[in-house]
Amino acid sequence: MPVAQLFNPRSIALVGATDKSGWSISTLLNLRTHGFTGEVYLVNPRGGVVHGEPAHRSLSEVPGPVDLAYVMVPTTAVLPVLREGAAAGVTSYVVLTAGFGEAGEEGARMEAEIAAFARDNGLTVLGPNGNGFINAAAGITPYGLPIPSPLLRGSVGVVLQSGALASSVLGFAQARNVGVSLLTSMGNESTLTVTDVVDYLVDDPATRAIALFLESVRDPGEFSRVARRALLAGKPIVALKIGRSGLASRTAQAHTGALVGDDNVIDAAFRGLGVIRVRSLEDLIITAGLLAEVGPLPGPRLGVVTPSGGASEIIADRAEDEGLQLPPFAPETAARLERILPAFGTVQNPLDVTGYVLVDRTLLARALEAVTADPGLDAVVLLSEPPRLAPAHPAPVLAAYAASAKQIAGSPLPVVVMGNALVDVTEFGRAVQEETGFPHVVGGIEHGMQAIGAAVRWSEARRAALAAPAAERPVSGAGAFEGAVFEGAVPAEAASASGVWAEHRAAALLSAAGIPVVPSEQAYEEEAAVAAAGRFGYPVVLKASAEGLGHKSDIGGVRLGLTGPEEVRAAYREIVAAVRAAPGAGHAGGAVGVLVQPQRRGGVELLVGVVRDPGWGLTLAVGLGGVWVEVLRDTALRLLPVDAREVRRALGELRGVRLLEGARGAEPADLDAVAAVVARVAAYAQALGPRLEALEINPLLVDGSRVEALDALVTWRD
């Protein structure tokens, strides 16, 4: 699809131009006042004069070539306009008209006709039901709402699945002095999609960072492809994805299905793709603006230079929130700062150079020079802001900011300039930055520290992507860049399996794949259960065993800590009766028995589950298991494939990771062994093929170096 032609027309026809429409008035005004130098033709079926200019009755009457038709006609007239335009050689369209798929069945039918016609005739259509676009880098602004002045040209590409928010985003970007390269309101995406535009921005030399407002990810595979392209190209994607409240269970049988919801999967997918997810429009623009200016950051170790003790304390708190480090200054740095600071100052990181900056105007610059030379830091944060009000004599102000800009540009470490609070950059402040080259200022400590944390995480993701061998960089599909591959045989029955495999079948499946599983014997009589218990040695566990049986504990189908034959006999009878009486269990008349297992004590119980997301594919959940699964919901998610290293990182995200590390004198778990087993489970889940809906081990017992599945469940797609 020739997206570049759409966004870079040399001539534009406004089809449906009329003095009665605010859309028409704004679009023409935007083109006339924001730098478009090409021909603009007005098309109105009545001809005459529109907006003080002569209008043509149809596209076929336009005297010159038309690169872009901006369509503002009634809903039923859109397709005829496209037909006429195609006959006249017009291949690019913006359709502002609403009333299509968003309006009901008839609108959806008309939109489908437009999409089919566009595909059949090689047309590129932005919309319908969109405001158009602003190519600020080229001064091309076919956009239906007023554009605030000045239109700041910069390097952030903005793609929005919302027309109403576009002006707010543009206004906030201007308030924070963040320039855009391209802003696009997508509308209904009948032919041109978000991923098409992102693909264009990855190759656009004017764009250094990409900001997305997403209501949905329509094609996860295509989104994954373009996100990886952006990551490898060094163009960060920052996304505000709404819809966090809509959790959806994938399967009623596995705990994992209740833990893996739509929004949780999106989080995992974005993390694996290096896409930065934010929670507000402010963070969307501030984070993208920072990344567009500073690019990759070398690491999480920050030095902070500020003239405020209070700001230092806020920064320290927010750094911990974001996983950023504020290491002590190196001895040589500390000694140098001791010579610089006033006697009442304290040398520590964050560094408060104190209000003495009002007496010694060189203090902040000398402290910054010392801190940026520290060998133990990756980047430095400087608390500073552009001036807000123009003084009577601006020359000294300009000279001071120019000197600071020169120092920052020559720093051996990246310097992020951050303001104390989120306030607008004034016209004078913007002028000072433009004239002196003073760098971009991140808006406020709260949003600024979040943006810096995001920049560090994105930088780490990009380094990992670049370090992966080229063969391990898939260009389509979801998942991480690397993953364990299952080596071994997959049972032939996996190709035709269906329904729920309860523990005895699921455990056998896992055991055959080399995954450690607690030994067990199936028994359909009391005495057989007693005999099995004797072979294992007491204490033992009895669990209900029947085809299709999911959560045994929910119906009273588990007995723990049985210490002798009489307890086993009694437990056997109780379990079988509970299964038979379970409402809707569907086991009456079928074979009902028990599994006998040795009792395991101690250790930490984990949940390891894999669930198939309808869009993103297989998703791994790992977290605290056993009875704590639904209470604590302490789970980390990853899209498959994953390797043991990525599993280790996931384990480290758990709130309960200290239990694995040996809290309160307990033996620490062998996390390498745990990660290896979990990675093998994930690889095996992939190898089982497309019929697998869910595979769950709960619990996976971890006791020192021993890792063992104590219960399992497999659900197949019908």
Side-chain angles (χ1 to χ4, degrees):
M1 186 178 294
V3 180
Q5 294 180 24
L6 171 76
F7 291 135
N8 294 277
R10 293 165 296 181
S11 59
I12 300 174
L14 303 186
V15 184
T18 170
D19 291 322
K20 298 178 181 179
S21 168
W23 303 99
S24 182
I25 294 169
S26 294
T27 305
L28 181 61
L29 182 64
N30 290 335
L31 290 169
R32 297 295 193 211
T33 59
H34 290 292
F36 183 62
T37 58
E39 291 287 343
V40 179
Y41 302 104
L42 304 182
V43 177
N44 184 292
R46 293 187 176 88
V49 176
V50 176
H51 306 323
E53 302 180 16
H56 307 279
R57 294 181 184 277
S58 66
L59 276 172
S60 59
E61 291 187 7
V62 172
V66 174
D67 291 336
L68 173 69
Y70 190 90
V71 182
M72 301 174 285
V73 300
T75 306
T76 55
V78 171
L79 185 56
V81 168
L82 265 62
R83 287 183 176 134
E84 182 187 23
V90 183
T91 59
S92 297
Y93 299 81
V94 171
V95 179
L96 177 134
T97 309
F100 288 95
E102 79 284 0
E105 185 176 341
E106 177 61 18
R109 183 192 63 77
M110 290 189 290
E111 183 173 329
E113 288 182 347
I114 290 173
F117 182 82
R119 286 192 301 270
D120 293 343
N121 292 273
L123 309 182
T124 303
V125 178
L126 174 60
N129 188 32
N131 294 328
F133 66 86
I134 299 170
N135 186 344
I140 303 171
T141 54
Y143 184 73
L145 295 174
I147 298 175
S149 293
L151 174 58
L152 300 182
R153 292 167 172 81
S155 52
V156 176
V158 182
V159 187
L160 304 164
Q161 284 181 330
S162 170
L165 290 178
S167 295
S168 297
V169 168
L170 195 62
F172 182 73
Q174 177 185 330
R176 286 306 312 159
N177 205 25
V178 175
V180 301
S181 56
L182 176 76
L183 182 144
T184 309
S185 173
M186 295 305 304
N188 292 3
E189 299 182 63
S190 63
T191 62
L192 188 74
T193 66
V194 166
T195 50
D196 293 327
V197 180
V198 174
D199 235 351
Y200 167 80
L201 293 174
V202 171
D203 297 324
D204 176 29
T207 300
R208 296 184 61 189
I210 301 167
L212 306 179
F213 175 85
L214 299 174
E215 294 174 343
S216 65
V217 179
R218 302 190 180 200
D219 186 338
E222 186 65 7
F223 184 88
S224 298
R225 181 188 67 80
V226 298
R228 288 195 181 91
R229 281 197 68 223
L231 186 61
L232 293 171
K235 295 197 175 182
I237 295 178
V238 184
L240 172 56
K241 167 66 177 67
I242 61 172
R244 290 188 293 120
S245 58
L247 297 179
S249 175
R250 297 293 178 276
T251 170
Q253 289 290 343
H255 283 108
T256 314
L259 298 171
V260 178
D262 291 340
D263 195 65
N264 296 333
V265 174
I266 290 289
D267 269 346
F270 283 9
R271 183 188 303 108
L273 295 167
V275 175
I276 300 163
R277 189 173 186 187
V278 296
R279 305 296 186 187
S280 69
L281 291 172
E282 292 84 355
D283 284 321
L284 179 67
I285 296 305
I286 289 171
T287 304
L290 171 66
L291 280 159
E293 292 297 323
V294 306
L297 293 176
R301 302 173 301 172
L302 301 182
V304 178
V305 179
T306 169
S308 167
S312 298
E313 293 168 353
I314 299 173
I315 290 170
D317 288 345
R318 290 295 287 115
E320 183 172 316
D321 296 339
E322 296 295 331
L324 300 169
Q325 302 169 21
L326 301 175
F329 293 126
E332 58 270 30
T333 304
R336 187 175 176 183
L337 290 171
E338 288 281 2
R339 296 191 294 270
I340 293 173
L341 290 184
F344 53 85
T346 302
V347 174
Q348 62 183 15
N349 187 19
L351 178 67
D352 172 18
V353 298
T354 76
Y356 203 71
V357 292
L358 297 176
V359 177
D360 181 354
R361 299 290 184 174
T362 70
L363 177 57
L364 195 65
R366 289 187 293 136
L368 179 64
E369 182 181 12
V371 173
T372 54
D374 192 297
L377 300 177
D378 298 311
V380 175
V381 177
L382 172 66
L383 263 288
S384 182
E385 299 184 59
R388 296 188 57 77
L389 302 176
H393 303 287
V397 173
L398 292 172
Y401 275 89
S404 183
K406 182 178 180 181
Q407 180 184 7
I408 292 169
S411 168
L413 293 178
V415 176
V416 177
V417 184
M418 184 169 68
N420 283 309
L422 182 59
V423 296
D424 292 356
V425 177
T426 65
E427 185 176 346
F428 177 66
R430 185 180 299 115
V432 168
Q433 287 188 275
E434 292 174 356
E435 186 171 338
T436 66
F438 192 76
H440 175 73
V441 179
V442 184
I445 296 173
E446 171 64 27
H447 297 280
M449 292 302 291
Q450 182 162 317
I452 294 169
V456 168
R457 291 188 290 275
W458 174 82
S459 303
E460 292 172 348
R462 183 164 191 264
R463 284 191 291 271
L466 293 174
E472 296 176 352
R473 299 178 190 170
V475 295
S476 64
F481 281 90
E482 299 179 68
V485 177
F486 180 73
E487 297 177 357
V490 176
E493 59 185 331
S496 58
S498 63
V500 177
W501 283 14
E503 182 178 355
H504 62 288
R505 295 187 71 185
L509 183 74
L510 295 174
S511 181
I515 296 164
V517 177
V518 64
S520 64
E521 288 190 30
Q522 204 160 9
Y524 291 98
E525 295 178 351
E526 287 183 29
E527 293 309 314
V530 170
R535 286 189 288 272
F536 286 128
Y538 291 99
V540 296
V541 176
L542 262 61
K543 301 177 182 177
S545 177
E547 287 299 326
L549 180 61
H551 295 307
K552 300 174 287 294
S553 58
D554 292 347
I555 62 169
V558 178
R559 296 293 186 274
L560 304 175
L562 305 175
T563 59
E566 290 308 314
E567 291 186 14
V568 169
R569 291 187 179 94
Y572 180 94
R573 292 191 295 270
E574 293 168 358
I575 288 173
V576 171
V579 174
R580 297 288 191 201
H587 308 298
V592 177
V594 298
L595 282 179
V596 184
Q597 298 173 344
Q599 174 83 50
R600 300 299 196 211
R601 299 186 183 279
V604 178
E605 294 184 343
L606 296 181
L607 163 85
V608 177
V610 177
V611 172
R612 187 176 301 277
D613 181 88
W616 296 96
L618 293 177
T619 305
L620 169 71
V622 58
L624 291 186
V627 298
W628 300 111
V629 173
E630 294 170 354
V631 176
L632 298 180
R633 304 180 74 87
D634 185 13
T635 310
L637 303 185
R638 294 293 188 272
L639 296 191
L640 300 191
V642 295
D643 59 14
R645 288 173 298 174
E646 189 60 31
V647 173
R648 277 293 303 265
R649 284 191 283 268
L651 291 170
E653 295 172 9
L654 300 177
R655 299 191 303 274
V657 68
R658 289 193 61 194
L659 295 174
L660 293 169
E661 294 171 344
R664 308 194 80 173
E667 181 183 4
D670 183 344
L671 291 178
D672 287 334
V674 177
V677 170
V678 175
R680 187 167 182 82
V681 171
Y684 189 48
Q686 283 194 294
L688 287 172
R691 297 193 68 84
L692 180 71
E693 179 70 25
L695 184 160
E696 179 175 290
I697 300 172
N698 181 32
L700 180 75
L701 182 66
V702 179
D703 189 6
S705 60
R706 180 161 60 93
V707 183
E708 192 175 42
L710 302 189
D711 201 347
L713 188 72
V714 177
T715 305
W716 303 95
R717 307 171 80 179
D718 293 331

